[in-house]
Amino acid sequence: MKGRYLLAITLLLLPLSLVVTSGAARAEKGVTAQELFDGANAAYSRGDFGTAIRDYRRIERRYGVSASLLYNLGNALAAAGDTGRAVLNYERALRLAPGDQDIRNNLRRVRRNAGLYLEDQPLYRRAAGLLQADQWALLAGACLFVLALSLLLPLLTGRIPAALARGIAIASLLGLVLSLPAAVYDYRDWNDGVVVNDSARLLISPFASAASSGSIKAGRLVHPEKRYGDYLLVTDETGRSGWLHRSDLALITDLPRQHRSRAR
Amino acid sequence: MTGQDHRHHGRMWAVVVLALAIVTMAGTAMAARPSVTASLGSDRFPVDQGTMLTVTVTGDTASRPELPRVDGLQFLYQGQSSRMEWVNGRFSSSLSYLYQVQAARPGNYTIGPIRVRVAGQVVKSRPIRCTVLPPASGATGPATGAGAGGSAAPPAAGTTRLRSGEADRIGFMRIIPKKSASYAGELVPFTIKAYFRQGIRVTVKSQPQVNGDAFVLQLDDQRPQQDEEVVNGIPYTVLTWHGTLSGIKAGTYPLEVDIDTTLLVRRARQHPSSMFGAPFFDDPFFDDFFGTLTRKEIKLVSPRRSLTIRDLPTKGRPRDFRGAIGTFSMAVTASPTRTRVGDPVTLKMRVSGTGNFDLVQAPVFSGGPEWKTYPPSEKFTDKGNGRGTKEFTMAIVPTTAAIKQIPPVTFSYFDPAAGRYTTLRSEAIPLQVTGGTPAAPPPVTTATPAAPAAGRKSAAAGATVSGLAPIHTSLGHLQPAIVPLYRKAWFLALCGLALAMLLAALALAIRRNHLRKNPHILEERRAREELARHLLAMKDAVERDDGARFLETSRLAIQDRAGQVWHREPRSITSADLRQHLPADSILVRVFTMAEHAGYSGEVPKGKELRELMEKIRTELEGLS
């Protein structure tokens, strides 16, 4: 009997203790990361971009990433003149916060300052570029949900006017048909790379001794096609293709490996 | 042989195998380790002649060497050559980068260390020292003959070096340049042919290499073309390479190429010297033909030719000349030709032709300060034998609406056939510029951010960073990875719910449509429900022992069931209809008649009889068809 009481108390306390512990851990983690973040921001404000970059990266390695962290890191790198990595971090930040206008504006400005212009894009590419991949996916998901509701509810209740339900269904179906291909198209570029080496050159074959087919600017977005050894066959956003050494580019979603230490 | 001897032999073999394994592994490790060596053609050279610096990287693919800055010395990249070897089943390769070293003044210099990134790590060469001497008196170029260009590398130990003529019983090789005189830097197409007697077992271990440091050789294709030819009545297997070579410095130099091969020959058991009287066959190498099979390293060397290299003329050299030598044409396009102030225009400049494309640089854009320009990117399409197209793409930004045209671009090169410089000049391209956003802002490197304020986002911080939006002061939610929405659980759940709802709606719609097309299904269901209701009422009457109610409910149940089966109005069915359709002893006929009579006779079943009737009626109703 006594054993049963003990077991019941333990079962009650265990989830409670887990909740409390995880909450405390989260609080500790948040405070520490925020303190580091504030310090890095202060360094950025002093114009000490090297320190700011180092501290932002420390947060990245220890605690993970947020849109604001990557955005600030992008600003610091841009200010330090590292266009390639600035573009990389803005692109990463946009993956997390696709609607953030600060990120979009700064990315556009840094690219423009570096002369990273795009030639005239076909209409479908410009249309797909109106929103980020996640935004298109969210729109497609919402349209699908509304479509399902507009079809199911009239059948279940019989109280919704058929014309209204049909109108909503057609509108949501149209939204789905437009947004889903755009999402799929944009997701193809989800894990593109960014050229981070100022002296990167496209090679015609994956060997150091291969002839170069041209230079490529730091900050250019490239789509990896295949890999051979340390080289990646890439196509850049202007349509040029060639082999790049792995160290000349960084993949957008390939974050630095995290160290899960709690060092303050 | 005793057992002890066997054990002794076994142990000895184990030691031998182990030793061999260690040596092999050590050899492999040594071969795999990347290394960089740097060497000068001569460590003492006159200031007016220069020398060649060769940086050789072995072991793995590598980036181009990073040459150190040496005050007073200039390094001019001349090209590269690769060398591959397959020895004892192990492949190794090396890549040599060639630079011409030019000194500004006499003195002692130290070059290095030279850094190369190999397989992700930085490898350094040892520093090398050299002495630059005062100008050679009266020298106009290196001496003809075995000078700098003729200093053929000594053959590797154990390798037999055979020049054509000596080696005609094995094979021979030739280099055939298209010209015997050229300008420094000019690409001269050539053909190299290696002839091997048919029937001789030979393995080619390397690409053809040029001896000396006066020329840079570039092959069009690493894999040679293989044919058969008959020379003086003897059939040969011929390997042919095409490519280009360029002279590095002025003078007349010997030109010869060699190639490393492995020949499979027979080891001699006796010396059949009496069989061949010719001194050629006194060579122990040829004795090997008559023994067991063994490998012999052979380096085939072509006959020496001489090639004269001239300096480019200084007279008439355009200011925008960057070293292009050959015959070129240029095409320039711009897009769009209607733009706004501050918006970019893409200028595409395509240089095509034949020549040293390594030194072809972007044409010169002659726009003034009203244009903001960016460094061009380039793309080279190699068509082989020095032919190709280099396309430069440059973003140019008009900063004023007063601009009416894109100014011409110029490209200068030296035409070796004509012996003079030529400048290509494009036409001006009309451009329509309308007022718009101002000129592109200055680079963000001049940022002077302000201090962040409290709050979610700082309104003031970074406001002056050349137009950059301010930094964020709230860290936000940290996450370990960047995950697309379609892999997030809540989004998948939402989509799954939506799909489930769609499927449910589809199923409902199908069912509704089916019922609309088959109304009897609904009627049957209604009848079944009615029968069930009647049976319940009958059961209740049995439990209350209420015979009158039982009979009345039974009559309704019989009518409903019979109406459903016979497709008639239930209430119009009488006992006469039942007798007509059912057997005379049917319980249904009996109960129906009892119910009709009970109204005026008052006779109703009770107790046990009620329960028996209940079961029988249920059974017969359910079996009615």
Side-chain angles (χ1 to χ4, degrees):
Chain A
M1 197 69 179
K2 195 176 175 182
R4 261 187 222 165
Y5 279 126
L6 276 175
L7 182 65
I9 290 168
T10 309
L11 286 176
L12 275 174
L13 284 179
L14 189 63
L16 191 64
S17 65
L18 281 174
V19 169
V20 170
T21 312
S22 66
R26 200 177 300 125
E28 180 197 9
K29 176 176 164 180
V31 167
T32 310
Q34 183 66 48
E35 282 173 1
L36 267 174
F37 189 63
D38 291 343
N41 286 352
Y44 177 88
S45 303
R46 288 194 308 271
D48 184 359
F49 303 120
T51 304
I53 291 166
R54 190 195 64 209
D55 287 352
Y56 288 136
R57 283 186 171 150
R58 188 178 295 170
I59 301 171
E60 187 180 26
R61 284 193 299 273
R62 282 190 193 173
Y63 303 106
V65 293
S66 69
S68 295
L69 173 68
L70 293 168
Y71 164 76
N72 286 9
L73 177 57
N75 276 2
L77 287 162
D82 191 343
T83 303
R85 287 181 178 80
V87 170
L88 172 70
N89 282 281
Y90 286 140
E91 289 286 351
R92 284 176 173 165
L94 270 182
R95 298 290 190 274
L96 296 175
D100 193 312
Q101 286 306 312
D102 286 350
I103 304 171
R104 279 176 172 257
N105 286 337
N106 284 9
L107 174 59
R108 195 179 303 128
R109 192 162 286 277
V110 167
R111 285 181 60 100
R112 184 173 170 166
N113 270 283
L116 294 166
Y117 294 112
L118 283 177
E119 293 173 38
D120 283 345
Q121 302 283 305
L123 181 64
Y124 69 92
R125 280 195 77 160
R126 276 183 283 159
L130 289 175
L131 295 176
Q132 294 280 312
D134 271 359
Q135 291 174 308
W136 283 120
L138 188 61
L139 186 59
C143 286
L144 180 69
F145 193 78
V146 173
L147 174 68
L149 269 183
S150 65
L151 292 176
L152 184 64
L153 282 182
L155 290 171
L156 288 178
T157 64
R159 291 178 190 170
I160 299 172
L164 175 65
R166 201 176 302 126
I168 294 173
I170 290 171
S172 52
L173 184 64
L174 195 65
L176 182 64
V177 166
L178 290 175
S179 56
L180 192 59
V184 172
Y185 184 82
D186 277 358
Y187 273 127
R188 289 184 328 133
D189 305 333
W190 180 260
N191 198 22
D192 274 358
V194 177
V195 178
V196 293
N197 187 351
D198 287 329
S199 56
R201 294 186 74 79
L202 289 169
L203 303 179
I204 61 170
S205 55
F207 304 100
S209 57
S212 168
S213 62
S215 57
I216 185 165
K217 285 182 180 176
R220 272 277 177 230
L221 287 173
V222 293
H223 185 71
E225 310 277 356
K226 61 181 174 182
R227 182 173 187 155
Y228 183 88
D230 285 337
Y231 289 85
L232 290 166
L233 178 64
V234 299
T235 303
D236 81 354
E237 51 197 329
T238 63
R240 297 188 314 149
S241 67
W243 292 89
L244 266 185
H245 193 272
R246 179 71 185 78
S247 61
D248 287 337
L249 63 90
L251 296 176
I252 292 171
T253 58
D254 201 1
L255 293 176
R257 190 170 293 172
Q258 282 186 41
H259 305 298
R260 287 288 175 192
S261 69
R262 296 281 178 201
R264 284 175 178 272
Chain B
M1 195 177 277
T2 64
Q4 197 174 352
D5 287 342
H6 275 296
R7 276 198 299 279
H8 178 71
H9 275 274
R11 213 174 294 148
M12 197 175 74
W13 274 112
V15 170
V16 169
V17 168
L18 188 65
L20 281 174
I22 291 169
V23 167
T24 308
M25 285 169 68
T28 309
M30 289 292 285
R33 191 184 303 154
S35 66
V36 178
T37 55
S39 62
L40 285 171
S42 169
D43 57 358
R44 293 168 66 84
F45 58 93
V47 70
D48 58 342
Q49 290 188 12
T51 190
M52 284 299 294
L53 170 66
T54 306
V55 182
T56 304
V57 185
T58 56
D60 209 333
T61 54
S63 64
R64 188 177 281 193
E66 295 170 25
L67 294 181
R69 289 180 184 278
V70 182
D71 187 30
L73 291 185
Q74 192 182 4
F75 304 101
L76 303 173
Y77 177 66
Q78 298 297 327
Q80 60 192 46
S81 63
S82 59
R83 181 186 175 94
M84 290 172 281
E85 284 188 351
W86 186 272
V87 180
N88 293 333
R90 200 173 63 220
F91 177 79
S92 66
S93 65
S94 65
L95 182 65
S96 296
Y97 297 87
L98 302 173
Y99 299 86
Q100 187 179 6
V101 184
Q102 287 184 342
R105 54 188 173 274
N108 293 319
Y109 296 92
T110 302
I111 304 169
I114 296 166
R115 296 152 57 92
V116 181
R117 193 177 58 199
V118 185
Q121 58 177 312
V122 175
V123 185
K124 296 177 188 172
S125 71
R126 287 187 179 171
I128 45 177
R129 292 191 174 80
C130 62
T131 303
V132 179
L133 304 169
S137 57
T140 54
T144 303
S151 57
T159 299
T160 305
R161 184 177 165 87
L162 296 176
R163 194 177 292 279
S164 297
E166 304 166 338
D168 286 353
R169 291 188 66 88
I170 301 167
F172 57 92
M173 69 184 300
R174 298 274 184 273
I175 177 164
I176 308 146
K178 278 203 172 175
K179 299 166 93 171
S180 59
S182 72
Y183 290 93
E186 179 189 352
L187 294 186
V188 178
F190 67 79
T191 301
I192 293 175
K193 288 192 167 190
Y195 294 76
F196 297 97
R197 273 206 173 194
Q198 290 193 348
I200 288 181
R201 296 170 69 179
V202 66
T203 306
V204 175
K205 284 169 49 186
S206 73
Q207 302 289 353
Q209 304 146 75
V210 67
N211 289 327
D213 56 6
F215 303 102
V216 174
L217 181 138
Q218 186 78 36
L219 297 174
D220 284 347
D221 196 346
Q222 302 293 313
R223 305 181 73 174
Q225 178 186 325
Q226 187 169 333
D227 300 299
E228 290 183 2
E229 277 186 33
V230 177
V231 180
N232 295 332
I234 301 171
Y236 287 90
T237 299
V238 185
L239 301 181
T240 307
W241 291 266
H242 297 284
T244 53
L245 64 88
S246 58
I248 291 168
K249 49 197 172 184
T252 300
Y253 302 97
L255 169 66
E256 66 175 25
V257 288
D258 60 41
I259 190 168
D260 293 323
T261 62
T262 301
L263 196 63
L264 205 59
V265 295
R266 290 190 180 281
R267 184 179 295 285
R269 290 186 185 280
Q270 294 177 341
H271 288 279
S273 56
S274 59
M275 285 179 68
F276 302 96
F280 182 72
F281 289 99
D282 289 340
D283 187 332
F285 161 67
F286 288 100
D287 291 346
D288 289 348
F289 278 108
F290 306 100
T292 54
L293 283 174
T294 184
R295 292 175 193 279
K296 190 82 180 174
E297 306 298 324
I298 300 289
K299 187 185 282 284
L300 279 186
V301 187
S302 71
R304 276 188 190 166
R305 308 174 63 107
S306 66
L307 201 64
T308 302
I309 309 296
R310 293 192 292 266
D311 267 334
L312 291 177
T314 52
K315 187 183 174 187
R317 181 179 292 182
R319 292 181 68 183
D320 62 348
F321 175 71
R322 299 283 184 273
I325 303 173
T327 311
F328 302 98
S329 62
M330 179 176 68
V332 179
T333 58
S335 170
T337 51
R338 282 182 172 189
T339 187
R340 287 153 53 94
V341 171
D343 284 353
V345 174
T346 303
L347 198 60
K348 284 195 172 172
M349 301 165 286
R350 183 175 294 173
V351 178
S352 307
T354 305
N356 56 348
F357 275 95
D358 275 357
L359 294 179
V360 169
Q361 294 182 25
V364 177
F365 176 72
S366 55
E370 66 273 22
W371 289 92
K372 180 176 172 62
T373 60
Y374 293 93
S377 61
E378 62 187 58
K379 181 184 179 184
F380 177 55
T381 308
D382 189 1
K383 295 174 183 168
N385 242 358
R387 290 179 300 117
T389 299
K390 211 166 197 177
E391 185 176 273
F392 300 91
T393 305
M394 186 163 82
I396 54 174
V397 182
T399 59
T400 166
I403 291 174
K404 301 295 176 203
Q405 62 179 25
I406 297 170
V409 298
T410 57
F411 174 73
S412 295
Y413 65 93
F414 181 76
D415 184 346
R420 59 181 164 77
Y421 293 96
T422 303
T423 297
L424 302 175
R425 187 180 175 85
S426 71
E427 296 289 325
I429 301 171
L431 184 70
Q432 191 175 338
V433 184
T434 55
T437 52
V444 292
T445 47
T446 57
T448 52
R456 187 182 163 274
K457 285 187 182 180
S458 164
T464 57
V465 185
S466 302
L468 282 185
I471 56 171
H472 293 182
T473 55
S474 174
L475 182 54
H477 173 61
L478 289 167
Q479 40 198 296
I482 298 174
V483 180
L485 188 62
Y486 67 83
R487 287 177 61 189
K488 289 183 177 168
W490 70 266
F491 184 74
L492 290 175
L494 176 80
C495 291
L497 180 63
L499 285 175
M501 285 161 56
L502 269 181
L503 286 176
L506 182 68
L508 277 177
I510 289 172
R511 181 167 169 272
R512 185 168 287 193
N513 194 37
H514 181 65
L515 290 178
R516 194 179 299 128
K517 286 182 180 168
N518 301 283
H520 66 277
I521 296 173
L522 270 182
E523 287 168 15
E524 282 174 10
R525 185 188 300 162
R526 204 175 304 122
R528 275 199 303 274
E529 287 170 359
E530 193 71 9
L531 179 61
R533 196 168 56 79
H534 288 320
L535 288 173
L536 268 180
M538 286 162 66
K539 191 179 174 187
D540 184 57
V542 169
E543 284 171 0
R544 293 170 187 270
D545 201 19
D546 185 348
R549 186 160 164 250
F550 175 81
L551 286 176
E552 179 54 26
T553 317
S554 299
R555 190 174 65 85
L556 291 174
I558 291 166
Q559 280 182 324
D560 283 343
R561 180 67 182 143
Q564 180 197 350
V565 173
W566 299 335
H567 301 292
R568 283 184 53 187
E569 169 56 35
R571 297 295 167 259
S572 68
I573 291 174
T574 62
S575 56
D577 298 322
L578 292 176
R579 280 190 210 99
Q580 188 183 343
H581 287 93
L582 298 175
D585 58 345
S586 168
I587 191 70
L588 299 182
V589 177
R590 186 182 152 206
V591 171
F592 199 91
T593 308
M594 281 172 70
E596 281 180 340
H597 290 173
Y600 52 87
S601 67
E603 286 182 21
V604 292
K606 290 282 185 187
K608 188 183 175 185
E609 190 186 2
L610 267 182
R611 281 190 288 279
E612 288 173 0
L613 284 174
M614 172 76 199
E615 284 308 311
K616 288 177 181 172
I617 289 169
R618 180 203 297 270
T619 307
E620 198 153 328
L621 279 178
E622 286 173 354
L624 196 61
S625 59

